[in-house]
Amino acid sequence: MNQDAEKRVAQRALDYGIAILAVGIAAAVRVKLSDQLQSQPMAPFFLAVLFAAAASEAGPALLATALSAAIVAFFFMEPVGSFMIALPGDHLRLAIFIVIGLGIVALTQAKTRARKREVAAQIQLAQAQADEIAQAARREGATLLGGILDSLPHQIAVIDQAGVILAVNEPWKRFARENGFTPSATFLGMNYLEAIRGAAAAGDRFASKAFEGLRALLAGERRAFTMEYPCQTPEGVLWFVMNAARADGGGAAAAVVSHTDITERKRAEEGLRESEERFASFMRHLPGLAWIKDHEGRYTYANCAAFRVFPVPREQVYGKTDEEIFDADAARQFRCHDGEARESKSGITAIETLKETDGVVHHFLVSKFAIADSEGAAKGTGGVAIDVTEREEAEKRLREATEKLREADAYKDEFLATLAHELRNPLAPIRNAVHVLRHDALSTSSKRDRDAALLSMVERQVTHLVRLVDDLLEVSRVTRGKIDLRKQRVDLADILRQAIDMSKPMIDAGGHVFEADIPDAPLIVEGDCVRLTQVFANLLNNAAKYTEHGGWISLAAERSGAEARIVVKDNGVGIPAEMLPRVFDLFTQIDRTLGRAQGGLGIGLALVKHLILLHGGSIEAQSEGLGQGSAFIVRLPALSAPAAEAREQGAAFDTMRTSLRILVIDDDRDVADSQKALLEISGASVRVAYSGAAGVAALSLFKPDLVLLDLGMPEMDGYETAQRIRALPEGRSVKLVALTGWGREQVFQRARAAGFDLQITKPASLEALGEALEETACLAQR
């Protein structure tokens, strides 16, 4: 029994079951509603028959009618429980029920057959319409398929089992026309397989491959076939990809063949191949290392130089991470720099170290950068590196050499500072002696004017020497262009006379005639006396140096508006025109070009110009050429009103009167004794101690108001002595003044911390001593 018969039997069984169920329900309703249905005892069973007839065919409806009649006769008619009906009226009712039931079955079946005939007619009509629509769809589909095939850029042909072309699209026809093929050779009815066989027989290896592929396809040995091949056309060689596939539609078509122009792709591939070859060649010959990693840090490319430093063979590099190739420290720094490169838009540059197989630690200058995809997301990192080990070693040696030079420079500064300190020690007693002699010279009348003049000259030169010693302490600042000017209102005439005094020995030694034109009226400028004297002495010395023996030199000064104008002129060797613009440059020496080596480093005029500029002035050199002499014109801002004359040193000394008790502590006896003599002239009571310990001991006995304490003493230096003095009851209120040969900045903080109130640089000037005495006297009066 087939599946359809089984379904029909099951459906009939279901229909009969429904009929029996409907009769059972009707009987239950009749029992339940017996009182209400006394007048219509057959009503529920009519409904059961009607339902069975409507839900199924005649058989189940007849069963429902017979079963209902039997149930009514047996259960609901007298005598109950028997099919023998006693009452004539019940016979009639039962007969009517059976007749009506048969009528219901007949009517229902007639209606069902009519409905089936109507449905069959509708189905037949729908089938006819569907066939018509299908035929129209096939016609439209064929038209649409043809349009689609024609619109494709591929050249498509349909062939039968023998290889004969059944259909081609428009691109196939167009290609044939444009390349000189006749329609009979490439269009409908032509045996495509035989045409390819002929080309293969002529030796075309691509045609041989195509023939074997199509033959196997048509023979059912394969489902599809693909190959690329070149085609010679009037425009040159074009490349195509041929795709063939079986057509299993059941019709005449056996296979579909398409040809697609891939010339641009092949050219792009060729360009890419050439580019890759250039890249590979470039990387092979690149002296530096180069590599590429994916987003997980695995190597996907490395050049030959990189492979030489990898500690593993070439075949073990690709697909491995730094942790799998290098030691932990190297891998950690590589990974760290890779992360920085991915986060940076412009890449990073770093120094990486790697211990290579030769056991030497190499340093590499590395440039790393992120490699992004088309959407800008990082998909890896790239890097290039060059070995800079030699450079790093050279830089290390340079740093070491620089450090040594720095140390040497520090030693030089220390030496100069020590030299300045040692020079101050003899200068201090000289100055003190000059002050004493000046006092004596001013207090006597015999030879007073001459001795006072000589003492003034000595004092000027000592003061000048003191300033030069100060410059030794500032030599590092001078080399950096940080010369400290001590400006005040000065008469330029006095400065010029001092400069003449300084240069006179050289002028006289050259046998030169010297003329000076200095105005009697004050020519006031604001400047540093020593520096300005240095400027004009330098100009006069240069004039004497570069003028032949017995030459002529002049110095003239005048006020010109708001400026002071000073001209130093000579009839010496002159200045070549090409040297005039560079005469003030550092290390420029004119005499070397003339064969007249006069010594020096060529910094004099450069220093002169620098000092003049610091004073707000200007300097100009003039010369008519070689042998025509030269002139240097200096201009300085002149003050409109003269400054008040400074007090004479002698007057200042005479007014420095005091009755203070002063303790001088210095290990240099000349300095201490001369200081004592100077202070006693002022009326002070002075005690001298030649060591720190002696000074501390003398403090309790002498009880001074002021202590002048040298810092640079042996055994117990000035700092320790000051601390011990401050620790004594008598030393808490005493005025402590430090005397030092070192620069003020070098010892200021330490002196303050040791308890000093004031610091005076040796040799102490009268002004500095006067200030210290005045401050101490004020404290004593309180």
Side-chain angles (χ1 to χ4, degrees):
M1 183 180 296
N2 58 29
Q3 189 174 6
D4 291 339
E6 290 178 356
K7 288 183 179 181
R8 287 195 296 271
V9 170
Q11 183 62 43
R12 290 185 65 82
L14 179 61
D15 291 342
Y16 281 104
I18 291 174
I20 293 171
L21 180 61
V23 172
I25 293 174
V29 171
R30 175 67 180 82
V31 173
K32 185 71 174 175
L33 302 177
S34 59
D35 295 337
Q36 290 84 354
L37 296 176
Q38 282 291 345
S39 59
Q40 297 290 339
M42 308 297 288
F45 297 100
F46 281 118
L47 295 176
V49 173
L50 183 61
F51 177 77
S56 60
E57 297 180 352
L62 291 174
L63 176 61
T65 301
L67 187 59
S68 295
I71 291 174
V72 169
F74 190 81
F75 290 104
F76 299 106
M77 290 184 176
E78 295 295 337
V80 176
S82 173
F83 290 106
M84 300 300 295
I85 301 173
L87 299 176
D90 290 338
H91 282 283
L92 181 60
R93 289 192 190 95
L94 188 59
I96 293 173
F97 172 77
I98 293 173
V99 171
I100 293 174
L102 294 175
I104 290 173
V105 172
L107 291 174
T108 303
Q109 290 303 309
K111 185 176 181 180
T112 300
R113 286 193 294 272
R115 187 169 62 249
K116 287 183 177 180
R117 287 194 297 271
E118 182 180 355
V119 170
Q122 291 177 351
I123 291 173
Q124 185 177 3
L125 177 60
Q127 185 66 43
Q129 292 176 346
D131 292 342
E132 183 178 354
I133 292 172
Q135 292 178 2
R138 283 193 292 271
R139 290 193 298 272
E140 292 178 0
T143 303
L144 178 61
L145 179 60
I148 292 174
L149 293 178
D150 288 342
S151 66
L152 293 176
H154 316 287
Q155 301 154 22
I156 300 173
V158 180
I159 60 176
D160 63 11
Q161 192 66 37
V164 176
I165 296 177
L166 301 178
V168 296
N169 69 344
E170 184 59 32
W172 183 293
K173 300 174 183 178
R174 184 168 55 251
F175 179 81
R177 289 195 301 269
E178 291 174 354
N179 291 278
F181 294 100
T182 61
S184 61
T186 56
F187 294 166
L188 304 180
M190 172 251 184
N191 194 307
Y192 186 63
L193 188 61
E194 290 300 321
I196 296 176
R197 187 202 301 271
D204 189 333
R205 62 186 183 89
F206 291 101
S208 297
K209 184 177 180 181
F211 175 77
E212 289 300 324
L214 283 176
R215 184 200 60 76
L217 187 75
L218 294 174
E221 298 174 5
R222 59 193 307 175
R223 300 291 302 170
F225 168 70
T226 299
M227 65 169 286
E228 295 179 0
Y229 67 94
C231 179
Q232 184 66 47
T233 70
E235 297 179 358
V237 177
L238 301 180
W239 276 86
F240 291 86
V241 59
M242 174 182 177
N243 291 288
R246 287 192 59 81
D248 296 330
V256 177
V257 180
S258 69
H259 300 264
T260 304
D261 190 340
I262 58 170
T263 305
E264 292 299 324
R265 194 196 78 186
K266 295 294 287 187
R267 289 173 181 170
E269 289 176 353
E270 180 66 16
L272 179 61
R273 185 187 61 78
E274 293 177 355
S275 176
E276 289 178 346
E277 289 179 355
R278 289 194 299 269
F279 174 78
S281 176
F282 175 78
M283 286 300 176
R284 281 195 303 272
H285 295 89
L286 185 70
L289 288 64
W291 64 90
I292 297 174
K293 304 177 187 176
D294 63 17
H295 67 285
E296 294 181 348
R298 301 186 183 279
Y299 283 92
T300 59
Y301 174 81
N303 68 343
C304 297
F307 283 123
R308 284 194 291 270
V309 303
F310 284 168
V312 297
R314 178 190 299 254
E315 58 272 10
Q316 297 181 19
V317 171
Y318 290 157
K320 300 294 181 64
T321 64
D322 290 320
E323 288 77 6
E324 297 173 293
I325 298 176
F326 302 102
D327 62 76
D329 291 337
R332 189 178 304 110
Q333 65 171 323
F334 297 164
R335 179 74 72 171
C336 177
H337 289 154
D338 287 350
E340 294 176 5
R342 284 192 297 271
E343 295 176 1
S344 172
K345 294 182 179 179
S346 56
I348 65 164
T349 300
I351 296 292
E352 294 181 346
T353 58
L354 177 65
K355 186 175 183 179
E356 296 189 12
T357 53
D358 57 5
V360 178
V361 176
H362 288 252
H363 302 269
F364 294 89
L365 177 61
V366 180
S367 177
K368 293 188 173 182
F369 48 90
I371 298 176
D373 57 19
S374 59
E375 297 179 355
K379 65 175 184 179
T381 56
V384 293
I386 56 174
D387 192 332
V388 294
T389 304
E390 293 184 1
R391 192 192 76 176
E392 286 291 310
E393 293 297 329
E395 290 181 352
K396 180 180 178 181
R397 292 192 295 270
L398 179 60
R399 288 193 296 270
E400 292 174 351
T402 302
E403 184 60 29
K404 291 180 180 178
L405 287 175
R406 188 179 292 108
E407 292 177 359
D409 187 63
Y411 293 148
K412 178 262 297 179
D413 288 344
E414 183 177 351
F415 164 75
L416 291 176
T418 303
L419 176 62
H421 174 72
E422 296 300 323
L423 285 174
R424 291 182 188 279
N425 286 330
L427 287 174
I430 292 174
R431 169 170 274 182
N432 293 337
V434 168
H435 289 325
V436 174
L437 291 174
R438 175 186 289 279
H439 179 269
D440 294 342
L442 292 175
S443 63
T444 61
S445 58
S446 61
K447 301 180 182 179
R448 182 174 61 185
D449 294 339
R450 186 194 63 185
D451 292 344
L454 290 174
L455 288 171
S456 296
M457 182 178 67
V458 171
E459 187 171 30
R460 276 197 311 273
Q461 300 309 315
V462 169
T463 300
H464 186 69
L465 183 58
V466 168
R467 289 296 300 276
L468 293 179
V469 170
D470 289 341
D471 285 349
L472 285 176
L473 288 175
E474 297 177 352
V475 64
S476 60
R477 298 183 66 199
V478 171
T479 57
R480 297 195 305 269
K482 296 183 177 180
I483 299 177
D484 184 22
L485 294 182
R486 303 175 185 177
K487 289 185 178 181
Q488 58 182 342
R489 297 167 66 91
V490 295
D491 188 350
L492 195 57
D494 293 338
I495 291 174
L496 295 176
R497 292 187 184 97
Q498 291 182 34
I500 292 171
D501 288 344
M502 293 178 64
S503 302
K504 198 169 188 307
M506 183 175 285
I507 295 174
D508 292 343
H512 303 309
V513 177
F514 178 71
E515 298 178 1
D517 183 9
I518 301 174
D520 295 330
L523 188 56
I524 307 301
V525 297
E526 184 176 29
D528 186 314
C529 296
V530 174
R531 296 301 186 187
L532 289 177
T533 301
Q534 181 182 359
V535 166
F536 294 110
N538 193 309
L539 293 176
L540 290 172
N541 289 340
N542 275 356
K545 187 191 309 184
Y546 295 112
T547 300
E548 298 290 349
H549 189 81
W552 169 80
I553 301 172
S554 70
L555 183 149
E558 63 177 355
R559 175 184 287 273
S560 178
E563 292 181 332
R565 184 174 181 270
I566 305 94
V567 180
V568 177
K569 195 172 183 180
D570 63 67
N571 64 347
V573 298
I575 304 173
E578 66 274 10
M579 294 296 295
L580 278 174
R582 299 192 293 113
V583 72
F584 294 106
D585 292 346
L586 197 62
F587 307 125
T588 297
Q589 289 185 310
I590 299 172
D591 58 302
R592 289 182 179 176
T593 64
L594 304 176
R596 296 184 176 92
Q598 299 289 341
L601 297 175
I603 64 174
L605 289 179
L607 181 60
V608 164
K609 181 176 181 180
H610 185 66
L611 292 173
I612 291 297
L613 293 175
L614 290 178
H615 283 82
S618 64
I619 184 170
E620 175 189 359
Q622 295 180 352
S623 177
E624 296 296 327
L626 291 177
Q628 302 299 315
S630 59
F632 289 85
I633 303 170
V634 177
R635 294 179 175 85
L636 292 169
L639 300 180
S640 58
E645 295 293 332
R647 292 181 301 167
E648 291 290 335
Q649 291 290 329
F653 185 81
D654 286 339
T655 59
M656 192 177 74
R657 307 299 298 172
T658 183
S659 59
L660 295 173
R661 299 170 66 81
I662 303 174
L663 175 61
V664 178
I665 306 174
D666 198 318
D667 64 304
D668 192 318
R669 291 178 177 270
D670 288 342
V671 175
D673 293 342
S674 63
Q675 193 77 60
K676 178 176 182 292
L678 177 63
L679 292 172
E680 285 178 340
I681 292 175
S682 68
S685 176
V686 185
R687 181 74 58 87
V688 175
Y690 300 117
S691 69
V696 173
L699 186 76
S700 300
L701 298 175
F702 185 57
K703 293 182 174 58
D705 302 304
L706 173 66
V707 175
L708 299 178
L709 175 56
D710 179 36
L711 293 180
M713 297 185 297
E715 298 181 0
M716 185 188 298
D717 62 14
Y719 301 107
E720 183 180 352
T721 302
Q723 291 173 343
R724 294 195 178 189
I725 288 175
R726 289 301 189 199
L728 297 174
E730 299 86 353
R732 294 173 183 171
S733 59
V734 71
K735 183 82 169 181
L736 271 182
V737 178
L739 295 176
T740 176
W742 303 97
R744 179 177 177 85
E745 293 79 3
Q746 293 171 287
V747 299
F748 178 78
Q749 295 296 336
R750 189 178 177 190
R752 283 291 186 187
F756 285 100
D757 299 301
L758 189 65
Q759 178 184 341
I760 297 177
T761 304
K762 290 182 179 180
S765 65
L766 287 180
E767 290 83 353
L769 287 174
E771 291 177 3
L773 295 177
E774 184 176 353
E775 290 182 11
T776 306
C778 291
L779 290 174
Q781 292 176 1
R782 294 177 185 175

